[in-house]
Coordinates of all heavy atoms in Angstrom, one line a residue:
M169 N 0.8 -1.2 0.0 CA 0.0 0.0 0.0 C 0.9 1.3 0.0 O 1.9 1.3 0.6 CB -0.9 0.0 1.2 CG -2.0 1.1 1.1 SD -3.4 0.8 2.2 CE -2.7 0.7 3.8
M170 N 0.4 2.3 -0.7 CA 1.1 3.5 -0.8 C 1.2 4.3 0.6 O 0.2 4.4 1.2 CB 0.4 4.4 -1.8 CG 1.3 5.6 -2.3 SD 0.4 6.6 -3.5 CE 0.7 5.6 -5.0
K171 N 2.4 4.7 1.0 CA 2.5 5.4 2.2 C 2.0 6.9 2.0 O 2.0 7.4 0.9 CB 4.0 5.5 2.6 CG 4.5 4.1 3.1 CD 6.0 4.2 3.4 CE 6.5 2.8 3.7 NZ 7.9 2.7 3.6
A172 N 1.6 7.4 3.2 CA 0.9 8.8 3.1 C 1.8 9.8 2.4 O 1.3 10.6 1.6 CB 0.6 9.2 4.6
K173 N 3.1 9.8 2.7 CA 3.9 10.9 2.1 C 4.2 10.6 0.6 O 4.7 11.5 -0.1 CB 5.2 11.1 2.9 CG 6.2 10.0 3.0 CD 7.4 10.5 3.8 CE 8.5 9.4 3.9 NZ 9.6 9.8 4.7
E174 N 3.9 9.4 0.1 CA 4.1 9.1 -1.3 C 2.9 9.5 -2.1 O 2.9 9.5 -3.3 CB 4.4 7.6 -1.5 CG 5.7 7.2 -0.9 CD 5.9 5.7 -1.0 OE1 4.9 5.0 -1.3 OE2 7.0 5.2 -0.6
K175 N 1.8 9.8 -1.4 CA 0.5 10.1 -2.1 C 0.6 11.4 -2.8 O 1.2 12.3 -2.3 CB -0.7 10.1 -1.1 CG -1.1 8.7 -0.7 CD -2.3 8.7 0.2 CE -2.6 7.3 0.6 NZ -3.6 7.3 1.6
K176 N 0.0 11.5 -4.0 CA 0.0 12.7 -4.7 C -1.1 13.7 -4.2 O -2.2 13.2 -3.9 CB -0.2 12.4 -6.2 CG 1.0 11.6 -6.8 CD 0.7 11.3 -8.2 CE 1.9 10.5 -8.8 NZ 1.6 10.0 -10.1
G177 N -0.9 14.9 -4.3 CA -1.9 15.9 -3.9 C -2.8 16.2 -5.1 O -2.5 15.8 -6.2
W178 N -3.8 17.0 -4.9 CA -4.8 17.3 -5.9 C -4.2 18.1 -7.1 O -4.6 18.0 -8.2 CB -6.0 18.0 -5.4 CG -5.7 19.4 -4.8 CD1 -5.4 19.7 -3.5 CD2 -5.7 20.7 -5.6 NE1 -5.1 21.1 -3.4 CE2 -5.3 21.7 -4.6 CE3 -6.0 21.0 -6.9 CZ2 -5.2 23.0 -5.0 CZ3 -5.9 22.3 -7.2 CH2 -5.5 23.3 -6.3
K179 N -3.1 18.8 -6.8 CA -2.4 19.6 -7.8 C -1.7 18.7 -8.9 O -1.4 19.2 -10.0 CB -1.4 20.6 -7.2 CG -2.1 21.7 -6.5 CD -1.1 22.7 -5.9 CE -1.8 23.8 -5.1 NZ -0.8 24.6 -4.4
S180 N -1.4 17.5 -8.5 CA -0.8 16.6 -9.4 C -1.8 15.8 -10.3 O -1.4 15.1 -11.2 CB 0.1 15.6 -8.7 OG -0.7 14.8 -7.8
I181 N -3.1 16.0 -10.1 CA -4.1 15.4 -10.9 C -4.2 16.1 -12.3 O -4.3 17.3 -12.3 CB -5.5 15.4 -10.2 CG1 -5.4 14.6 -8.9 CG2 -6.6 14.8 -11.2 CD1 -6.6 14.7 -8.1
P182 N -4.1 15.4 -13.4 CA -4.2 16.1 -14.7 C -5.5 16.8 -14.9 O -6.5 16.4 -14.3 CB -4.1 14.9 -15.7 CG -3.5 13.8 -15.0 CD -3.9 14.0 -13.6
K183 N -5.5 17.9 -15.6 CA -6.7 18.7 -15.9 C -7.8 17.7 -16.4 O -7.6 16.9 -17.3 CB -6.5 19.8 -16.9 CG -5.8 21.0 -16.2 CD -5.6 22.1 -17.2 CE -4.8 23.2 -16.5 NZ -4.3 24.2 -17.5
G184 N -9.0 17.9 -15.8 CA -10.2 17.1 -16.3 C -10.1 15.7 -15.8 O -10.9 14.8 -16.2
G185 N -9.2 15.4 -14.9 CA -9.0 14.0 -14.4 C -8.6 13.0 -15.5 O -8.9 11.8 -15.5
L186 N -8.0 13.6 -16.6 CA -7.6 12.8 -17.7 C -6.6 11.7 -17.4 O -5.7 11.9 -16.6 CB -7.0 13.7 -18.8 CG -6.7 13.1 -20.1 CD1 -8.0 13.0 -20.9 CD2 -5.7 14.1 -20.9
I187 N -6.9 10.5 -17.9 CA -5.9 9.4 -17.7 C -5.0 9.4 -19.0 O -5.5 9.1 -20.1 CB -6.6 8.0 -17.6 CG1 -7.5 8.0 -16.3 CG2 -5.6 6.9 -17.5 CD1 -8.4 6.9 -16.1
D188 N -3.8 9.8 -18.8 CA -2.9 10.1 -19.9 C -2.1 9.0 -20.4 O -1.3 9.1 -21.3 CB -2.1 11.4 -19.6 CG -1.3 11.2 -18.4 OD1 -1.3 10.2 -17.7 OD2 -0.6 12.2 -18.0
K189 N -2.2 7.8 -19.8 CA -1.5 6.6 -20.3 C -2.2 5.4 -19.8 O -3.1 5.4 -18.9 CB 0.0 6.6 -19.7 CG 0.1 6.6 -18.2 CD 1.5 6.6 -17.8 CE 1.5 6.7 -16.3 NZ 2.8 6.9 -15.7
G190 N -1.9 4.3 -20.5 CA -2.6 3.0 -20.2 C -1.9 2.2 -19.1 O -0.8 2.5 -18.7
G191 N -2.6 1.3 -18.5 CA -2.0 0.3 -17.5 C -1.8 0.9 -16.1 O -1.1 0.4 -15.3
T192 N -2.4 2.1 -15.9 CA -2.2 2.8 -14.6 C -2.8 2.0 -13.4 O -2.4 2.2 -12.3 CB -2.7 4.2 -14.6 OG1 -4.1 4.2 -15.0 CG2 -1.9 5.1 -15.6
A193 N -3.8 1.2 -13.7 CA -4.5 0.5 -12.6 C -3.6 -0.4 -11.8 O -3.8 -0.6 -10.6 CB -5.6 -0.4 -13.1
K194 N -2.5 -0.8 -12.4 CA -1.5 -1.7 -11.7 C -0.8 -0.9 -10.6 O -0.4 -1.5 -9.6 CB -0.4 -2.1 -12.7 CG -0.8 -3.3 -13.6 CD 0.4 -3.7 -14.4 CE 0.0 -4.7 -15.5 NZ 1.0 -4.9 -16.5
E195 N -0.8 0.4 -10.7 CA -0.1 1.2 -9.7 C -0.9 1.3 -8.4 O -0.4 1.8 -7.4 CB 0.2 2.6 -10.2 CG 1.2 2.6 -11.4 CD 1.3 3.9 -12.1 OE1 0.8 4.9 -11.5 OE2 1.8 3.9 -13.2
Y196 N -2.2 1.0 -8.5 CA -3.1 1.3 -7.4 C -3.6 -0.1 -6.8 O -4.2 -0.9 -7.5 CB -4.3 2.1 -7.8 CG -3.9 3.5 -8.2 CD1 -3.7 3.7 -9.6 CD2 -3.7 4.5 -7.3 CE1 -3.3 5.0 -10.0 CE2 -3.2 5.7 -7.7 CZ -3.1 6.0 -9.1 OH -2.6 7.2 -9.5
E197 N -3.2 -0.3 -5.5 CA -3.6 -1.5 -4.9 C -4.9 -1.4 -4.3 O -5.1 -1.2 -3.1 CB -2.5 -1.9 -3.9 CG -1.2 -2.3 -4.6 CD -0.1 -2.9 -3.7 OE1 -0.4 -3.1 -2.5 OE2 1.0 -3.2 -4.3
T198 N -5.9 -1.6 -5.1 CA -7.3 -1.4 -4.7 C -7.8 -2.5 -3.7 O -8.8 -2.4 -3.2 CB -8.3 -1.4 -6.0 OG1 -7.9 -2.5 -6.8 CG2 -8.2 -0.1 -6.7
G199 N -6.9 -3.5 -3.5 CA -7.2 -4.5 -2.6 C -7.4 -4.0 -1.1 O -8.1 -4.7 -0.3
S200 N -6.8 -2.9 -0.9 CA -7.0 -2.3 0.5 C -8.3 -1.8 0.8 O -8.7 -1.4 1.9 CB -5.9 -1.3 0.7 OG -6.1 -0.2 -0.1
W201 N -9.2 -1.6 -0.3 CA -10.5 -1.1 -0.1 C -11.5 -2.1 0.5 O -12.5 -1.7 1.0 CB -11.1 -0.6 -1.5 CG -10.3 0.4 -2.2 CD1 -9.2 1.0 -1.8 CD2 -10.7 1.0 -3.5 NE1 -8.8 1.9 -2.8 CE2 -9.7 1.9 -3.8 CE3 -11.8 0.8 -4.3 CZ2 -9.7 2.6 -5.0 CZ3 -11.8 1.5 -5.5 CH2 -10.8 2.4 -5.8
K202 N -11.2 -3.4 0.3 CA -12.3 -4.3 0.5 C -12.6 -4.7 2.0 O -11.8 -4.6 2.9 CB -12.0 -5.7 -0.2 CG -10.8 -6.5 0.2 CD -10.8 -7.7 -0.7 CE -9.4 -8.4 -0.7 NZ -8.3 -7.6 -1.0
T203 N -13.9 -5.0 2.2 CA -14.4 -5.4 3.4 C -14.7 -6.9 3.3 O -14.6 -7.6 4.2 CB -15.7 -4.7 3.8 OG1 -15.4 -3.3 3.7 CG2 -16.2 -5.0 5.2
F204 N -15.1 -7.3 2.1 CA -15.4 -8.7 1.8 C -14.5 -9.2 0.7 O -14.1 -8.4 -0.2 CB -16.9 -8.8 1.3 CG -17.9 -8.6 2.4 CD1 -18.4 -7.3 2.6 CD2 -18.3 -9.6 3.2 CE1 -19.3 -7.0 3.6 CE2 -19.3 -9.3 4.2 CZ -19.7 -8.0 4.4
K205 N -14.1 -10.5 0.8 CA -13.3 -11.1 -0.2 C -14.0 -12.2 -0.9 O -14.7 -12.9 -0.2 CB -12.0 -11.5 0.4 CG -12.1 -12.6 1.4 CD -10.8 -13.1 2.0 CE -11.1 -14.2 3.1 NZ -9.9 -14.6 3.8
P206 N -13.7 -12.5 -2.2 CA -14.3 -13.6 -2.9 C -13.5 -14.9 -2.5 O -12.3 -14.9 -2.5 CB -14.1 -13.2 -4.3 CG -12.9 -12.3 -4.4 CD -12.8 -11.7 -3.1
V207 N -14.3 -15.9 -2.3 CA -13.7 -17.3 -2.0 C -14.3 -18.2 -3.1 O -15.6 -18.3 -3.2 CB -14.0 -17.7 -0.6 CG1 -13.5 -19.1 -0.4 CG2 -13.4 -16.8 0.4
I208 N -13.5 -18.8 -3.8 CA -14.0 -19.7 -4.9 C -14.0 -21.1 -4.5 O -13.0 -21.7 -4.0 CB -13.1 -19.6 -6.2 CG1 -13.0 -18.1 -6.6 CG2 -13.6 -20.5 -7.3 CD1 -12.0 -17.8 -7.7
D209 N -15.2 -21.8 -4.7 CA -15.3 -23.2 -4.4 C -15.0 -23.9 -5.7 O -15.8 -24.0 -6.6 CB -16.7 -23.5 -3.9 CG -17.0 -25.0 -3.6 OD1 -16.1 -25.8 -4.0 OD2 -18.0 -25.3 -3.0
R210 N -13.8 -24.5 -5.8 CA -13.3 -25.1 -7.0 C -14.1 -26.3 -7.4 O -14.2 -26.7 -8.5 CB -11.8 -25.4 -6.9 CG -11.0 -24.2 -7.0 CD -9.6 -24.5 -6.6 NE -8.8 -23.2 -6.3 CZ -8.2 -22.5 -7.3 NH1 -8.2 -23.0 -8.5 NH2 -7.6 -21.4 -7.0
S211 N -14.8 -27.0 -6.4 CA -15.6 -28.2 -6.7 C -16.8 -27.8 -7.5 O -17.4 -28.6 -8.2 CB -15.9 -28.9 -5.4 OG -16.8 -28.1 -4.6
K212 N -17.2 -26.5 -7.4 CA -18.4 -26.1 -8.1 C -18.1 -25.4 -9.4 O -18.9 -25.3 -10.4 CB -19.2 -25.1 -7.3 CG -20.0 -25.7 -6.1 CD -20.8 -24.6 -5.5 CE -21.5 -25.1 -4.2 NZ -22.1 -23.9 -3.5
C213 N -16.9 -24.8 -9.5 CA -16.5 -24.0 -10.6 C -16.4 -24.8 -11.9 O -15.8 -25.9 -11.9 CB -15.1 -23.4 -10.4 SG -14.4 -22.5 -11.8
I214 N -17.0 -24.3 -13.0 CA -17.0 -25.0 -14.3 C -16.1 -24.3 -15.3 O -16.1 -24.5 -16.5 CB -18.4 -25.1 -14.9 CG1 -19.1 -23.7 -15.0 CG2 -19.3 -26.0 -14.1 CD1 -20.4 -23.6 -15.7
N215 N -15.2 -23.4 -14.8 CA -14.3 -22.6 -15.6 C -14.9 -21.9 -16.8 O -14.3 -21.9 -17.9 CB -13.1 -23.5 -16.0 CG -12.2 -23.9 -14.8 OD1 -11.6 -23.0 -14.2 ND2 -12.2 -25.1 -14.4
C216 N -16.0 -21.3 -16.6 CA -16.6 -20.6 -17.7 C -15.9 -19.2 -17.9 O -16.1 -18.6 -19.0 CB -18.1 -20.3 -17.4 SG -18.4 -19.2 -16.0
L217 N -15.2 -18.8 -17.0 CA -14.4 -17.5 -17.0 C -15.2 -16.2 -17.0 O -14.7 -15.2 -17.4 CB -13.4 -17.5 -18.2 CG -12.4 -18.7 -18.3 CD1 -11.4 -18.5 -19.4 CD2 -11.7 -18.9 -17.0
Q218 N -16.5 -16.4 -16.7 CA -17.3 -15.1 -16.7 C -16.8 -14.2 -15.6 O -16.8 -13.0 -15.7 CB -18.8 -15.5 -16.4 CG -19.4 -16.1 -17.7 CD -20.9 -16.1 -17.6 OE1 -21.5 -15.1 -17.4 NE2 -21.5 -17.3 -17.8
C219 N -16.4 -14.7 -14.4 CA -15.9 -13.9 -13.4 C -14.6 -13.1 -13.9 O -14.5 -11.9 -13.6 CB -15.5 -14.7 -12.1 SG -14.4 -16.1 -12.4
W220 N -13.8 -13.7 -14.6 CA -12.6 -13.1 -15.2 C -13.0 -12.0 -16.1 O -12.4 -10.9 -16.1 CB -11.8 -14.2 -15.9 CG -10.6 -13.7 -16.7 CD1 -9.4 -13.3 -16.2 CD2 -10.5 -13.7 -18.1 NE1 -8.6 -12.9 -17.2 CE2 -9.2 -13.2 -18.4 CE3 -11.4 -14.0 -19.1 CZ2 -8.8 -13.0 -19.7 CZ3 -11.0 -13.8 -20.4 CH2 -9.7 -13.3 -20.7
M221 N -14.0 -12.3 -17.0 CA -14.4 -11.2 -17.9 C -15.1 -10.0 -17.3 O -14.9 -8.9 -17.7 CB -15.5 -11.8 -18.9 CG -14.8 -12.8 -19.9 SD -16.0 -13.3 -21.2 CE -16.8 -14.6 -20.4
Y222 N -15.8 -10.3 -16.2 CA -16.6 -9.1 -15.6 C -15.8 -8.4 -14.5 O -16.2 -7.3 -14.1 CB -17.9 -9.7 -15.0 CG -19.0 -9.8 -16.0 CD1 -19.1 -11.0 -16.7 CD2 -19.8 -8.8 -16.3 CE1 -20.1 -11.1 -17.7 CE2 -20.8 -8.9 -17.3 CZ -21.0 -10.1 -18.0 OH -21.9 -10.2 -18.9
C223 N -14.7 -9.0 -14.0 CA -14.0 -8.3 -12.9 C -13.5 -7.0 -13.3 O -12.7 -6.9 -14.3 CB -12.9 -9.2 -12.4 SG -11.9 -8.4 -11.1
P224 N -13.9 -5.9 -12.7 CA -13.4 -4.6 -13.1 C -11.9 -4.3 -12.8 O -11.4 -3.3 -13.3 CB -14.3 -3.6 -12.4 CG -14.8 -4.4 -11.2 CD -14.8 -5.8 -11.6
D225 N -11.3 -5.1 -12.0 CA -9.9 -4.9 -11.7 C -9.0 -6.0 -12.2 O -7.8 -6.0 -11.8 CB -9.8 -4.8 -10.1 CG -10.4 -3.6 -9.6 OD1 -9.9 -2.5 -9.8 OD2 -11.6 -3.6 -9.1
S226 N -9.5 -6.8 -13.1 CA -8.6 -7.9 -13.7 C -8.0 -8.7 -12.5 O -6.8 -9.0 -12.6 CB -7.6 -7.4 -14.6 OG -8.2 -6.7 -15.7
A227 N -8.7 -8.9 -11.5 CA -8.1 -9.6 -10.3 C -8.3 -11.1 -10.3 O -7.7 -11.8 -9.5 CB -8.7 -9.0 -9.0
I228 N -9.1 -11.6 -11.2 CA -9.2 -13.0 -11.3 C -8.1 -13.6 -12.1 O -7.8 -13.2 -13.3 CB -10.6 -13.4 -12.0 CG1 -11.8 -12.9 -11.2 CG2 -10.7 -15.0 -12.1 CD1 -12.2 -13.5 -9.9
K229 N -7.3 -14.5 -11.5 CA -6.1 -15.0 -12.2 C -6.5 -16.3 -12.9 O -7.2 -17.2 -12.3 CB -5.0 -15.3 -11.2 CG -4.5 -14.0 -10.5 CD -3.3 -14.2 -9.8 CE -3.5 -14.9 -8.5 NZ -2.3 -15.0 -7.6
V230 N -6.1 -16.4 -14.2 CA -6.4 -17.6 -15.0 C -5.1 -18.1 -15.6 O -4.2 -17.4 -16.0 CB -7.3 -17.1 -16.2 CG1 -7.5 -18.3 -17.2 CG2 -8.7 -16.7 -15.7
K231 N -5.0 -19.5 -15.6 CA -3.9 -20.1 -16.1 C -4.3 -21.3 -17.0 O -5.1 -22.1 -16.5 CB -2.9 -20.6 -15.0 CG -1.6 -21.1 -15.6 CD -0.7 -21.4 -14.4 CE 0.7 -21.8 -14.9 NZ 1.6 -22.2 -13.9
E232 N -3.9 -21.3 -18.2 CA -4.3 -22.3 -19.2 C -5.8 -22.6 -19.2 O -6.3 -23.7 -19.2 CB -3.5 -23.6 -18.9 CG -2.0 -23.5 -19.1 CD -1.2 -24.6 -18.6 OE1 -1.8 -25.6 -18.1 OE2 0.1 -24.5 -18.7
G233 N -6.5 -21.5 -19.3 CA -8.0 -21.5 -19.4 C -8.7 -21.9 -18.2 O -9.9 -22.2 -18.2
K234 N -8.0 -22.0 -17.0 CA -8.7 -22.3 -15.8 C -8.5 -21.3 -14.7 O -7.4 -20.7 -14.7 CB -8.2 -23.7 -15.3 CG -8.7 -24.8 -16.2 CD -8.3 -26.2 -15.6 CE -8.9 -27.2 -16.6 NZ -8.6 -28.6 -16.2
I235 N -9.4 -21.2 -13.8 CA -9.3 -20.2 -12.7 C -8.2 -20.7 -11.8 O -8.2 -21.8 -11.4 CB -10.7 -20.1 -11.9 CG1 -11.8 -19.5 -12.8 CG2 -10.5 -19.3 -10.7 CD1 -11.5 -18.1 -13.3
E236 N -7.3 -19.7 -11.5 CA -6.1 -20.1 -10.7 C -6.3 -19.5 -9.3 O -5.8 -20.0 -8.3 CB -4.9 -19.5 -11.3 CG -3.6 -20.0 -10.7 CD -2.4 -19.4 -11.3 OE1 -2.3 -18.2 -11.6 OE2 -1.4 -20.2 -11.5
G237 N -7.0 -18.4 -9.2 CA -7.2 -17.7 -7.9 C -7.6 -16.2 -8.1 O -7.9 -15.8 -9.1
V238 N -7.4 -15.5 -7.0 CA -7.8 -14.1 -7.0 C -6.5 -13.3 -6.5 O -5.9 -13.6 -5.5 CB -9.0 -13.8 -6.1 CG1 -9.3 -12.3 -6.1 CG2 -10.2 -14.6 -6.5
D239 N -6.2 -12.2 -7.3 CA -5.2 -11.3 -6.9 C -5.7 -10.4 -5.8 O -6.4 -9.4 -6.2 CB -4.7 -10.5 -8.1 CG -3.8 -9.4 -7.8 OD1 -3.4 -9.2 -6.7 OD2 -3.4 -8.6 -8.8
M240 N -5.4 -10.7 -4.6 CA -6.0 -9.9 -3.5 C -5.4 -8.5 -3.4 O -6.0 -7.6 -2.7 CB -5.9 -10.7 -2.2 CG -6.7 -11.9 -2.1 SD -8.5 -11.5 -2.2 CE -9.2 -13.1 -2.2
K241 N -4.3 -8.2 -4.0 CA -3.7 -6.9 -4.0 C -4.6 -5.9 -4.8 O -4.6 -4.7 -4.6 CB -2.3 -6.9 -4.6 CG -1.2 -7.2 -3.6 CD 0.1 -6.9 -4.3 CE 1.2 -7.1 -3.3 NZ 2.5 -6.9 -3.9
H242 N -5.3 -6.5 -5.8 CA -6.1 -5.6 -6.6 C -7.6 -5.9 -6.5 O -8.4 -5.0 -7.0 CB -5.7 -5.7 -8.1 CG -4.3 -5.2 -8.3 ND1 -3.2 -6.0 -8.3 CD2 -3.9 -3.9 -8.5 CE1 -2.1 -5.2 -8.4 NE2 -2.5 -3.9 -8.5
C243 N -8.0 -7.0 -6.0 CA -9.5 -7.2 -5.8 C -10.0 -6.2 -4.7 O -9.4 -6.2 -3.6 CB -9.7 -8.7 -5.3 SG -11.4 -8.9 -4.6
K244 N -11.0 -5.5 -5.1 CA -11.5 -4.5 -4.1 C -12.8 -5.0 -3.4 O -13.5 -4.2 -2.7 CB -11.8 -3.2 -4.8 CG -12.8 -3.2 -5.9 CD -12.8 -1.8 -6.6 CE -13.7 -1.9 -7.9 NZ -13.2 -0.9 -8.9
G245 N -13.2 -6.2 -3.7 CA -14.3 -6.8 -2.9 C -15.7 -6.4 -3.4 O -16.6 -6.3 -2.6
C246 N -15.8 -6.0 -4.7 CA -17.1 -5.5 -5.2 C -18.2 -6.5 -5.2 O -19.3 -6.2 -5.2 CB -16.9 -4.8 -6.5 SG -16.5 -6.0 -7.9
G247 N -17.8 -7.8 -5.4 CA -18.7 -8.9 -5.4 C -19.4 -9.2 -6.8 O -20.3 -10.0 -6.9
I248 N -18.9 -8.5 -7.8 CA -19.5 -8.7 -9.2 C -19.2 -10.2 -9.6 O -20.1 -10.8 -10.1 CB -18.8 -7.7 -10.2 CG1 -19.3 -6.3 -9.9 CG2 -19.2 -8.2 -11.6 CD1 -18.7 -5.2 -10.8
C249 N -18.0 -10.7 -9.3 CA -17.7 -12.1 -9.7 C -18.7 -13.0 -9.0 O -19.2 -14.0 -9.7 CB -16.3 -12.4 -9.3 SG -15.9 -12.1 -7.6
A250 N -19.0 -12.8 -7.8 CA -20.0 -13.7 -7.1 C -21.4 -13.6 -7.6 O -22.1 -14.6 -7.8 CB -20.0 -13.4 -5.6
S251 N -21.8 -12.4 -8.0 CA -23.1 -12.2 -8.6 C -23.2 -12.8 -10.0 O -24.3 -13.2 -10.4 CB -23.6 -10.8 -8.5 OG -22.8 -10.0 -9.3
I252 N -22.2 -12.8 -10.7 CA -22.2 -13.2 -12.1 C -22.0 -14.7 -12.3 O -22.4 -15.3 -13.3 CB -21.1 -12.4 -13.0 CG1 -21.6 -12.3 -14.4 CG2 -19.8 -13.0 -12.9 CD1 -22.6 -11.3 -14.7
C253 N -21.4 -15.3 -11.3 CA -21.1 -16.8 -11.4 C -22.4 -17.6 -11.6 O -23.2 -17.6 -10.8 CB -20.3 -17.3 -10.2 SG -20.0 -19.0 -10.3
P254 N -22.5 -18.4 -12.7 CA -23.7 -19.1 -13.0 C -23.9 -20.3 -12.1 O -25.1 -20.8 -12.0 CB -23.5 -19.5 -14.5 CG -22.0 -19.6 -14.7 CD -21.5 -18.5 -13.8
V255 N -22.9 -20.8 -11.4 CA -23.1 -21.9 -10.6 C -22.9 -21.6 -9.1 O -22.8 -22.5 -8.2 CB -22.2 -23.1 -11.0 CG1 -22.6 -23.6 -12.4 CG2 -20.7 -22.7 -11.0
K256 N -22.8 -20.3 -8.8 CA -22.7 -19.8 -7.4 C -21.5 -20.5 -6.7 O -21.5 -20.9 -5.6 CB -24.0 -20.1 -6.6 CG -25.2 -19.5 -7.2 CD -25.2 -18.0 -7.1 CE -26.4 -17.3 -7.8 NZ -26.1 -16.1 -8.4
A257 N -20.4 -20.4 -7.5 CA -19.1 -21.0 -6.9 C -18.3 -20.0 -6.1 O -17.3 -20.4 -5.5 CB -18.3 -21.6 -8.1
I258 N -18.7 -18.7 -6.1 CA -18.0 -17.7 -5.4 C -18.9 -17.1 -4.3 O -20.0 -16.7 -4.5 CB -17.5 -16.6 -6.4 CG1 -16.7 -17.1 -7.5 CG2 -16.7 -15.5 -5.6 CD1 -16.3 -16.1 -8.5
K259 N -18.3 -17.1 -3.1 CA -19.0 -16.5 -2.0 C -18.2 -15.4 -1.5 O -16.9 -15.5 -1.5 CB -19.1 -17.6 -0.8 CG -20.3 -18.4 -1.0 CD -20.6 -19.2 0.3 CE -21.8 -20.1 0.1 NZ -21.8 -21.2 1.0
M260 N -18.8 -14.3 -1.1 CA -18.1 -13.2 -0.5 C -18.1 -13.4 1.0 O -19.1 -13.6 1.7 CB -18.8 -11.9 -0.8 CG -18.9 -11.6 -2.3 SD -17.3 -11.5 -3.2 CE -16.6 -10.0 -2.5
E261 N -16.8 -13.4 1.6 CA -16.7 -13.6 3.0 C -16.0 -12.3 3.6 O -15.2 -11.7 3.0 CB -15.8 -14.8 3.3 CG -16.6 -16.1 2.9 CD -15.8 -17.3 3.3 OE1 -14.6 -17.2 3.8 OE2 -16.3 -18.4 3.1
K262 N -16.3 -12.1 4.8 CA -15.7 -10.9 5.5 C -14.2 -11.1 5.6 O -13.8 -12.2 5.9 CB -16.3 -10.8 7.0 CG -16.0 -9.5 7.6 CD -17.3 -8.7 7.9 CE -16.9 -7.5 8.6 NZ -17.9 -6.4 8.5
E263 N -13.5 -10.0 5.4 CA -12.0 -10.1 5.4 C -11.5 -10.5 6.8 O -12.0 -10.1 7.8 CB -11.5 -8.7 5.1 CG -11.2 -8.5 3.7 CD -9.8 -8.8 3.3 OE1 -8.9 -7.9 3.3 OE2 -9.5 -9.9 2.9
Ligands
SF4_194 S1 -17.9 -17.5 -13.0 FE1 -18.0 -19.2 -11.5 S2 -18.0 -21.1 -12.6 FE2 -17.3 -19.4 -14.0 S3 -15.0 -19.5 -13.9 FE3 -15.8 -18.0 -12.3 S4 -16.0 -19.2 -10.4 FE4 -15.8 -20.6 -12.1
SF4_195 S1 -14.8 -9.1 -5.8 FE1 -14.8 -7.6 -7.6 S2 -12.7 -6.9 -7.7 FE2 -12.7 -8.8 -6.5 S3 -12.3 -10.5 -7.9 FE3 -14.6 -10.3 -7.7 S4 -15.2 -8.9 -9.4 FE4 -13.0 -8.7 -9.1

């Protein structure tokens, strides 16, 4: 997590809040926002990858077409993956 003195002030925000380059989400560890975390029940998972497609933080990790886990540094606990899963293989649990 970014330390307080490393944080940028409002004067360093580009005019209009413009995002002037790609891939900036990697710099922000949105994982510190969460209250709930997704827990995947692999016995129910059918590897449809819908959670991977819908995750707004690209936090679902996939290897060779199968769910590998969740990147907790970037998962912000929004619960979209749990609500989109067609077989209810993801439960949101308190951190
Ligand atoms: S949406 Fe559910 S079933 Fe599909 S890959 Fe994710 S956890 Fe598995
Ligand atoms: S809870 Fe939200 S951010 Fe975390 S893996 Fe699921 S969809 Fe992604």
